[in-house]
Amino acid sequence: LYVAWMDTTDDDSFKKRAEIYVAKSYDNGSSFTSQRAADFNELQSYPRNSNFRYWGSTFPQLAAGNENDVYVAYTSRSPNRDDDGDIYLAYSTDGGQSWGKRKINDDNTLRLQFFPSLTVSTDGTVHVMWGDMRDDPVETRYHVYYTSSEDKGKTWTENARVTDFPSNPNHAFP
């Protein structure tokens, strides 16, 4: 059993740094051990060009594979903090003892990516999708993008847009 959560650290919510922890239990939840999976630049409450609250994008999305592999997708501000959000993946191939981290959206603009979701198929392929404003220079509309990894998160397919028509979160998330 795996459980993941975000900790806003001692600097309080919406400030600077946050961490993601993953706890595991081998005895049906009677006891847990936890490990920090990632630390990152926390999101603001709202992106710069929209009025929807996207802060929940930092909440970890957790999936486990067949061979002791664990994955956590979340949104983080870029290291230089100019980008409102990119999609990151924390991954472990040893049951959560050690963690790697990588950005998985291949957009090189400063446009927002948010609300990731992930799953692992029975063949071990990791699938991730998210909202993405890369196609809108005004940054008010988004499409849904997708990528996958067949090697436990080391390499990813080119990001693919899977929607035909953009959505506007200012209308979709009242």
Side-chain angles (χ1 to χ4, degrees):
L1 172 66
Y2 291 96
V3 179
W5 69 93
M6 181 193 72
D7 182 347
T8 60
T9 68
D10 291 335
D11 65 5
D12 205 5
S13 300
F14 313 118
K15 298 296 181 189
K16 294 180 182 170
R17 301 297 293 171
E19 299 172 327
I20 291 176
Y21 286 87
V22 174
K24 66 180 174 181
S25 174
Y26 289 111
D27 57 8
N28 297 316
S30 293
S31 63
F32 286 89
T33 59
S34 64
Q35 181 77 25
R36 187 176 69 181
D39 66 321
F40 61 97
N41 290 325
E42 190 173 8
L43 301 178
Q44 302 174 95
S45 181
Y46 300 93
R48 64 181 171 263
N49 289 345
S50 295
N51 289 326
F52 74 101
R53 284 186 257 172
Y54 79 127
W55 183 68
S57 293
T58 60
F59 299 164
Q61 303 297 307
L62 177 71
N66 299 330
E67 299 175 1
N68 221 16
D69 44 327
V70 185
Y71 307 94
V72 179
Y74 60 97
T75 305
S76 169
R77 293 187 78 184
S78 67
N80 64 12
R81 301 179 67 84
D82 292 334
D83 189 333
D84 276 343
D86 286 312
I87 305 301
Y88 285 84
L89 184 85
Y91 58 94
S92 174
T93 57
D94 59 8
Q97 296 299 313
S98 61
W99 292 87
K101 177 174 94 169
R102 68 178 304 122
K103 177 183 155 187
I104 61 170
N105 64 282
D106 58 14
D107 171 49
N108 291 320
T109 71
L110 296 179
R111 298 190 185 123
L112 174 64
Q113 287 79 40
F114 59 98
F115 291 138
S117 183
L118 83 156
T119 191
V120 181
S121 57
T122 55
D123 68 358
T125 301
V126 184
H127 306 271
V128 183
M129 58 187 262
W130 62 92
D132 195 313
M133 291 186 174
R134 73 175 74 184
D135 299 317
D136 184 8
V138 182
E139 296 181 78
T140 59
R141 295 177 221 219
Y142 70 93
H143 281 280
V144 174
Y145 272 75
Y146 166 84
T147 188
S148 63
S149 173
E150 295 179 351
D151 59 5
K152 298 183 184 261
K154 294 180 191 130
T155 61
W156 293 85
T157 60
E158 182 178 345
N159 295 174
R161 191 173 82 189
V162 297
T163 51
D164 294 328
F165 191 80
S167 294
N168 185 330
N170 294 314
H171 300 294
F173 300 109

